[in-house]
Structure formats: structure tokens, C-alpha cells
Amino acid sequence: MTPDRSAPALRTVPTAPVPGQKPGTSGLRARTVEAMQPNWIENLTQSILDVIAPGAGSSLVLGGDGRFFNDRAIQVLLKMAAANGVAHVAVARNGLLSTPSASAEIRHRRVDGGLILSASHNPGGEDGDFGLKVNIANGGPAPEPVTDAIHRRTLELDVYRVLDAPDINLASVGNTALGPMRVEVFDPVPRYVELMRSLFDFDAIRALFRSGFRMRFDAMHAVTGPYAQALLEDELSAGPGTVVNATPKPDFGGRHPDPNPVHAADLVAELFARGAPDFAAASDGDGDRNMILGRGICVGPSDSLAVLAANAHLAPGYPDGPVGIARSMPTSRAADRVARALGIPCFETPTGWKYFATLLDAGRVTICGEESAGTGSDHVREKDGLWAVLLWLNILAVRRRSVAELLGEHWARFGRDYYSRHDYEGVDPAAADAIIETLRRRLPELPGQTIEGLTVSHAGEFAYVDPVDGSTSEHQGIRVSFGTEARAVFRLSGTGTSGATLRVYLERFEAPDPHRFDTPQAALARVTRAADRISGLPGLLGRAGPDMRG
Ligand code: G1P
Ligand code: ZN
């Protein structure tokens, strides 16, 4: 038989393991320069394909947040998927696919999983970060046993398989053959718009905008730009110019695509200035986080979760309200108070969205959230930035209150959980481990001690037993409680790429009092001092204070 000269050749390439590919809280992150090393992306891809073993006839969704090097990595992923027996890959046009939209695609298409190229809110560009996350057939992030197996595989890999073929044109929608595999380039925006239309009262939101309500959405030159323009400007008639920084850029315009008061300072300033719009929001690199602002007010993510859960029944997608709520352990207990009032359970899970998936799959919870600006529901298996924005708009459209009034009424009904997170960044990893280890050893002696006038009622390390599948996760953060009123949590970040980040989460509850609202840092002064004395921070690091107070 004469060989078919037009068929791309399959190459099996000898390789050596590239170290350092350890999955964190949310997939695998690395410095982009590291990811661009020879064989790095190939080794990782081969390890992923070996573990998720999609096999003949399998189908995957592929895309990312458009950051630097994604375009090259996508071509490698496609050629390697084709060489490893994958039958079909649906890749987003120009590789631009938000994380929640990837989850929606995986679920709608009933494919075997997806690969999302994103380092979320970390900076992009050649000097920034790169990331790759594996999602499974339920649309959610791969659970720990899968990511651990991928990591083990990266350490033993000796060959990878790739197809020698020209690059696929990702700019136009349509089907192409890549050897035996079908590559489908698709536009993910219409399906996402459809999903949002099925959950929210678009007529009510349109009427809100017609009444003169003004909003601003900052896409931070990241992936949500096209989705936000289609939803807010085209569908909901929010007015041209509502979405700013709408064009995705490989370096996110040189900024951290992280929707918080530091990295979205312009937006915050606009909302606190004269002539501010009624409402504003921003999302991160891959579109799963959200920041919510009203005129003269920033809504903390823990409060946002509580407000959304308490008012979800106002949106057509949640007519009976949530069946249950889940929050990550360091998230404030504001959501617990709503759950109690609604007579539904509230689950406390480790940090990271993957821990919500079993609860969502089992139908035990409808709404989930994290203090790190992540909120979402059972419509997908990822947190969803634009979903949170639209639910806020739906609630505002029905209740016709300002954001500040809505929050004030919420606190007057449920009480207020003052909340702040202090981050110490760029810490020497060994020093960070030692600080946590010392703290761990001190835990047994803390209960009963009164520090800064607060008496420790409980001190321990959070370990989680998944109530659905019984799997356990240890060492998920150190908790020190001062009665039911106040709490401090200490944990190490699992998403950084250079040095360690120590996070200290502080909170204090105040019963409903419509006349007393302090600023969070003032209300938390005593808890902060107590937490600093317990951990020895910031003295141990020789710093004046945290690098970031959120
Ligand atoms: C951070 C957040 C966490 C979130 C994760 C991915 O992880 O704290 O809530 O799920 O990013 O967006 P960390 O760096 O704290 O491990
Ligand atoms: Zn993200």
C-alpha cells in the first residue's frame, strides 16, 4: 500500500519529566516563561491525556482566557489530542472561552471533559502566568485524585505523541480534519446568552435600564468582554459604552485581571465620584469571579453571596429559592444566617470550587460562593462572574432599591458579618510553612485564653469529609473562634506561582442595628490584633502589615 502523503505523520517524541508541575487550588499554574520551556506543555498535555484517557470516540471542549502563549498551547493541545485518539475537539473561536461558558459547553454537549487555558486573575503577558485546568464530564474542575494522578504522570513520562500538521485556523467558525480528529471551531457566546436568558427576567432588567438605571461593566481586557457586550448592551439594552475594556488582550492591557478594589481602582473611584452610575461590576481573566459595586459602596463577596441567596427566588431560574447553600470555610458566615432563615442547609467546604461539585451534582445545594469573589449556582459547575452580575440586576429590577439600600436592609434583617482578608505575598515558602507549623503546634493551648479581650472558644485545623462521597481533605486551614461572634482563619494560598502567600481571614458578627455601621477595618480592629498575636504575623515576616487588605 502506498502511504498517503497528505496524511499528517504521528510522531512519538522521547522526553524527560519537567519538574514543578504541581496542581493547586484551581488547576495548574506556572510562570509563562516556565511554560514556554521545551517540552513543558507537551509533557503536561500527554500526562493529562494519559490520565483522563478519553480514548476512541471521545470529545473535548477547549479554550481559554486569551492570555499570552495560549494560542501556541492550543495548537499543541489539538495536535496531541489528535495523536492520542481523541475523536472531536470543540475549540472556541480565537481560543476565547470563559471558564463558566466552558462548563456550560461541556454539560450541554455531553462531552467527556474540557481543557481551560487560564491562570484566572493572575497577570498575563510574557512576564505573567500561564495555567491549564482540566474539567470533567460534569463541567466542573477535576477532583483531587485526578489532578494528583496527572502530577504523578508528569514525573514519570518518557514519550509524548503529536501529529505533525499545520496549525488550525481558529479565527473562523467551522469544522476541519486534523488527521483522524474533527476540530470544530465554535462561537461560545450565543449558548451562554441562551443559558442566562433561561435563568433571568430579561424583560424586567430591560425595564430597569429603560427607567434610567445606569451601569458600568469592566471586562478588564479579559475574556468576558464579548459575552458582556452581547448580554448587557445587545440583549438588555444597557446602552453603548456600558462595557469598558471589552477587547481581550494577551497581557490584559498590562493589568492584573483581578476584580478587586486594588486592581479595579478606576471603577471603584468612578462609583464613589459625583455622577456615579447606579451599579457596576467587573470580572477576572477567565470570567468566573465578580466584583459588585453600587453608588458609593463596594459589596463584599461574602455579603454578595448572602444577598443573592436571600433574593434568588426573585429570578425565574430559582422560583423556590435555593435548596441549600455552600460556602468555602474562610467565607463569612453571612450565608449561614440566610440559610437558617430559609430553613435550608449551609455546607462549609475547603477553598476551591471543585469541592462544591459533588453537592451540586447531588442536588443538595443551589447556590455556592467564596470570599474570593466567586459566586455561582447549579446551572454550571464553575463560579460564574456574569451570572452573579445578572442575578444582582434581576434582584435590583424587582426590588427597585439602590445597592446600598438593599445591603442595609439585608444587614438590618440578618445582622452584619464584618469581614476582611489580609494577604502576605511573596513570602519565602519555607518560612511560610514554618509559620503554619508553629501555629498548628500552638492550637491545643489556645482554647480558654483571652487575647485582646477575646476568649478563644475553639482552635483547630479544618478537615473536610465530603457529605456526598465520603472523600476526605485534610489541612484545609487553621481556624480560631472567639465564641460565635468572631473568628480568624489562617491558610496558605494554593494558586501562586512565585513565593508563598499567607492569607489571614478575619470576621466579626454584629446583631441587627440599623444605626451602627462601622468600616470593616475599624470593626475588626480587635480581632485583627488578636489574630496577629496568635500567629506572630506581621512581626515574624519583619513587615509593617499585610500587602493586601481586602
Ligand atoms: C484562591 C481563592 C479561592 C479560589 C481560587 C481560584 O485560592 O482563595 O477561593 O477558589 O483562588 O480562583 P488560593 O490562592 O487562596 O488557594
Ligand atoms: Zn478566575
mmCIF file of all heavy atoms in Angstrom, residues 120-121 284 286-289 383, ligand 2:
data_model
loop_
_atom_site.group_PDB
_atom_site.id
_atom_site.type_symbol
_atom_site.label_atom_id
_atom_site.label_comp_id
_atom_site.label_asym_id
_atom_site.label_seq_id
_atom_site.Cartn_x
_atom_site.Cartn_y
_atom_site.Cartn_z
ATOM 1 N N SER A 120 -6.547 32.412 35.541
ATOM 2 C CA SER A 120 -7.587 33.179 36.213
ATOM 3 C C SER A 120 -7.259 34.668 36.316
ATOM 4 O O SER A 120 -7.078 35.333 35.314
ATOM 5 C CB SER A 120 -7.840 32.551 37.585
ATOM 6 O OG SER A 120 -8.973 33.123 38.174
ATOM 7 N N HIS A 121 -7.100 35.159 37.541
ATOM 8 C CA HIS A 121 -6.911 36.590 37.786
ATOM 9 C C HIS A 121 -5.433 36.964 37.837
ATOM 10 O O HIS A 121 -5.109 38.114 38.086
ATOM 11 C CB HIS A 121 -7.565 36.955 39.110
ATOM 12 C CG HIS A 121 -7.125 36.038 40.209
ATOM 13 N ND1 HIS A 121 -7.565 34.737 40.278
ATOM 14 C CD2 HIS A 121 -6.259 36.196 41.220
ATOM 15 C CE1 HIS A 121 -6.980 34.144 41.301
ATOM 16 N NE2 HIS A 121 -6.177 35.003 41.890
ATOM 17 N N ASP A 284 -12.932 38.664 36.155
ATOM 18 C CA ASP A 284 -11.488 38.419 36.081
ATOM 19 C C ASP A 284 -11.067 37.835 34.733
ATOM 20 O O ASP A 284 -11.879 37.750 33.805
ATOM 21 C CB ASP A 284 -11.047 37.510 37.233
ATOM 22 C CG ASP A 284 -11.525 36.091 37.050
ATOM 23 O OD1 ASP A 284 -12.590 35.893 36.431
ATOM 24 O OD2 ASP A 284 -10.843 35.155 37.520
ATOM 25 N N ASP A 286 -10.605 34.897 33.391
ATOM 26 C CA ASP A 286 -11.369 33.830 32.741
ATOM 27 C C ASP A 286 -12.871 33.922 33.018
ATOM 28 O O ASP A 286 -13.617 32.996 32.691
ATOM 29 C CB ASP A 286 -10.831 32.460 33.177
ATOM 30 C CG ASP A 286 -10.938 32.241 34.668
ATOM 31 O OD1 ASP A 286 -10.898 33.233 35.426
ATOM 32 O OD2 ASP A 286 -11.088 31.081 35.095
ATOM 33 N N GLY A 287 -13.301 35.023 33.656
ATOM 34 C CA GLY A 287 -14.745 35.280 33.748
ATOM 35 C C GLY A 287 -15.485 34.540 34.837
ATOM 36 O O GLY A 287 -16.718 34.494 34.829
ATOM 37 N N ASP A 288 -14.771 33.961 35.796
ATOM 38 C CA ASP A 288 -15.527 33.259 36.839
ATOM 39 C C ASP A 288 -15.695 34.078 38.112
ATOM 40 O O ASP A 288 -16.562 33.792 38.924
ATOM 41 C CB ASP A 288 -14.953 31.859 37.128
ATOM 42 C CG ASP A 288 -13.495 31.874 37.531
ATOM 43 O OD1 ASP A 288 -12.888 32.964 37.556
ATOM 44 O OD2 ASP A 288 -12.952 30.782 37.815
ATOM 45 N N ARG A 289 -14.869 35.122 38.298
ATOM 46 C CA ARG A 289 -15.016 35.950 39.501
ATOM 47 C C ARG A 289 -15.854 37.185 39.197
ATOM 48 O O ARG A 289 -15.982 37.585 38.037
ATOM 49 C CB ARG A 289 -13.657 36.430 39.992
ATOM 50 C CG ARG A 289 -12.798 35.325 40.525
ATOM 51 C CD ARG A 289 -11.537 35.882 41.133
ATOM 52 N NE ARG A 289 -10.796 34.785 41.741
ATOM 53 C CZ ARG A 289 -9.885 34.932 42.673
ATOM 54 N NH1 ARG A 289 -9.573 36.127 43.106
ATOM 55 N NH2 ARG A 289 -9.269 33.885 43.180
ATOM 56 N N LYS A 383 -17.681 28.718 39.190
ATOM 57 C CA LYS A 383 -18.232 30.008 39.577
ATOM 58 C C LYS A 383 -18.429 30.829 38.303
ATOM 59 O O LYS A 383 -17.791 30.558 37.284
ATOM 60 C CB LYS A 383 -17.351 30.704 40.591
ATOM 61 C CG LYS A 383 -15.907 30.846 40.190
ATOM 62 C CD LYS A 383 -15.081 31.314 41.391
ATOM 63 C CE LYS A 383 -13.621 31.423 41.040
ATOM 64 N NZ LYS A 383 -12.786 30.597 41.900
HETATM 65 ZN ZN ZN B 2 -10.914 33.096 37.516
#
